[in-house]
């Protein structure tokens, strides 16, 4: 797997590295790690809207979770 770095800086998420040919479990783990970084940055549970295009993870929108199930 290629090295991928995830960091939050001034409320921006930076995911560096392309991951075109990863298996779905690796993509899910990357998404989980990114969401955890966002949650840790803001200090509350978040609803994350994202897209995966040409091997790049895009975070489109982040909202606080307002409903518990």
């Amino acid at each position: 797997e290629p090295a991928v770095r995830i960091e939050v800086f001034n409320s921006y998420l930076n995911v560096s590295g392309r991951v075109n040919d990863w298996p779905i479990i690796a993509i899910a783990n990357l998404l989980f790690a990114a969401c955890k970084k966002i949650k840790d940055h803001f200090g509350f549970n978040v609803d994350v809207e994202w897209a995966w295009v040409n091997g790049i993870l895009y975070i489109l929108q982040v909202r606080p979770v307002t409903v518990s199930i």
Side-chain angles (χ1 to χ4, degrees), residues 11-67:
S11 299
Y12 290 93
L13 183 74
N14 179 32
V15 179
S16 54
R18 292 181 67 90
V19 286
N20 281 328
D21 299 321
W22 279 17
I24 191 67
I25 192 69
I27 294 168
N29 287 335
L30 174 65
L31 181 59
F32 175 81
C35 290
K36 181 163 180 1
K37 287 270 188 178
I38 294 168
K39 176 187 178 247
D40 292 347
H41 175 77
F42 288 111
F44 50 81
N45 291 333
V46 293
D47 175 21
V48 178
E49 187 175 319
W50 59 276
W52 184 264
V53 179
N54 296 324
I56 301 171
L57 173 64
Y58 293 92
I59 302 300
L60 305 175
Q61 182 171 262
V62 177
R63 299 176 293 275
V65 172
T66 56
V67 176

